[in-house]
Amino acid sequence: SYGENNVLSSFSLDIRRGDTVAVTGKNGAGKSTLMRIIAGIDDEHTGEKKTGTGVRIGYYRQDFEDELRGTRSIYDEVAAHVETSLIPSLRGYLGAFLFHGDDIYKPLDVLSGGEKSRVQLVKLLLQPTNLLILDEPTNHLDMMSKEILLEALSSYTGTMVFVSHDLAFIRELADRILWFSPSGPRLFEGDYDYFAWKISHLDESDDAPRRPARSPESGSTQKHLHEDRKRRRNSLKRLQEEEHRIMEKLEAAESRIEEIQHLLTLPEHYRDGEAMKRLKDELDAARQESSRLSSSWHEVTDAIEHTRLHLEELC
């Protein structure tokens, strides 16, 4: 809580060494707040956070760009934030994040959003951390940069908690899913495919809450309950079909974003002002569509959960 504003309540989470926890849910549900709390950036709240002995936290936040301004070069910026022993290998690390040749001497002020993201990520990954807190790390990254980041994080041996709406990213990395559902955060002990299956079959699972036996009902009441269950099952089926349609569109939008980001890196485009403007307009539109579809997906999954809860009450 922050004064009168309650963000999280009746919530407890244990993050164990070696976990990779993906945090997902609707915007505004409290995901970034939780990341700030875990990272130790935000302590103006009630509740308690306990950090294990020897935990060294690295935190990637969404609003990092204000840190990367000025005439300092990429090389100097990264060198200022890593251990001295890594300096001789710094060119290699920067090259792995697509900063080749004289690119490493670009001043921070002229970098694109994607380039700044890569600078911030390489700084973070070269620090001696054993707990990474990443809030939307794939925002602004093109397809190749995402693949490089994914490869780096896949080989990371520490603990990781990250917020993302990138389904491919979540599928590849996460072994636990923390979902900010309408009824509050819920932890799923499995990867994304398990999570997607679980929220589609909660009413059939062993984890469904046990309900007391109903008292005998009259014939008319039984008929009414049967019809109500039938309506809600039909509604659930329609919602699941809508979820599938949205997922297909969302994956297509994400693919288009990656395609445009790749086109923006080609010399024939970034040397053509009109082509660059057209591609950037298309990129903005694709990102807006992806954001809209992501919000729609969360709304549908919330509706699916509500419908299942009603079904459980009727059974």
Side-chain angles (χ1 to χ4, degrees), residues 216-232:
E217 307 281 1
S218 68
S220 61
T221 303
Q222 288 279 13
K223 182 179 179 181
H224 173 75
L225 287 171
H226 175 74
E227 291 174 350
D228 201 2
R229 283 195 292 267
K230 184 177 179 181
R231 281 196 301 272
R232 292 189 186 278

Side-chain angles (χ1 to χ4, degrees), residues 55-215:
V55 172
R56 301 182 302 277
I57 295 175
Y59 175 48
Y60 178 94
R61 70 177 201 266
Q62 292 189 52
D63 57 347
F64 69 87
E65 291 192 16
D66 287 341
E67 298 178 10
L68 299 180
R69 296 189 183 281
T71 58
R72 176 186 262 179
S73 70
I74 293 172
Y75 181 91
D76 290 339
E77 172 66 16
V78 176
H81 289 85
V82 302
E83 294 180 343
T84 305
S85 60
L86 294 175
I87 298 298
S89 306
L90 203 52
R91 278 181 172 271
Y93 290 123
L94 288 169
F97 275 77
L98 305 180
F99 294 114
H100 303 295
D102 290 341
D103 285 348
I104 66 174
Y105 300 118
K106 279 186 179 180
L108 299 177
D109 273 346
V110 305
L111 301 183
S112 67
E115 288 173 323
K116 287 185 176 182
S117 292
R118 283 187 274 131
V119 170
Q120 196 72 353
L121 286 165
V122 75
K123 282 166 53 181
L124 181 63
L125 292 171
L126 290 179
Q127 293 172 10
T129 65
N130 53 21
L131 171 59
L132 287 180
I133 309 297
L134 309 173
D135 194 358
E136 297 281 9
T138 59
N139 279 3
H140 309 300
L141 295 183
D142 59 29
M143 181 170 56
M144 185 175 293
S145 299
K146 282 184 184 180
E147 290 175 356
I148 290 167
L149 177 60
L150 189 56
E151 183 178 353
L153 294 179
S154 295
S155 60
Y156 182 71
T157 58
T159 306
M160 196 184 331
V161 185
F162 66 95
V163 176
S164 181
H165 296 290
D166 188 315
L167 301 184
F169 205 76
I170 296 173
R171 276 197 177 103
E172 188 69 26
L173 291 175
D175 53 33
R176 303 170 84 196
I177 307 290
L178 179 63
W179 177 39
F180 278 69
S181 76
S183 56
R186 301 180 62 173
L187 184 66
F188 292 79
E189 298 283 354
D191 61 14
Y192 179 83
D193 290 332
Y194 171 80
F195 159 71
W197 176 85
K198 195 72 171 176
I199 63 172
S200 297
H201 297 82
L202 279 176
D203 54 310
E204 301 172 7
S205 75
D206 294 334
D207 295 332
R210 298 181 179 274
R211 294 172 292 279
R214 289 183 176 273
S215 58

Side-chain angles (χ1 to χ4, degrees), residues 221-282:
T221 303
Q222 288 279 13
K223 182 179 179 181
H224 173 75
L225 287 171
H226 175 74
E227 291 174 350
D228 201 2
R229 283 195 292 267
K230 184 177 179 181
R231 281 196 301 272
R232 292 189 186 278
R233 287 193 181 105
N234 288 337
S235 177
L236 182 60
K237 183 179 180 181
R238 287 194 297 272
L239 286 167
Q240 289 170 330
E241 290 171 350
E242 177 64 13
E243 180 191 26
H244 180 70
R245 285 193 293 270
I246 292 172
M247 286 289 292
E248 288 183 336
K249 291 179 180 178
L250 183 56
E251 289 174 359
E254 289 292 326
S255 295
R256 181 56 181 158
I257 289 171
E258 292 177 355
E259 180 185 357
I260 296 170
Q261 288 174 328
H262 172 66
L263 291 173
L264 285 168
T265 67
L266 300 178
E268 61 264 32
H269 289 134
Y270 65 69
R271 291 171 183 163
D272 184 337
E274 291 185 6
M276 286 292 287
K277 183 179 183 305
R278 186 184 70 253
L279 286 169
K280 286 181 177 179
D281 288 343
E282 286 185 39

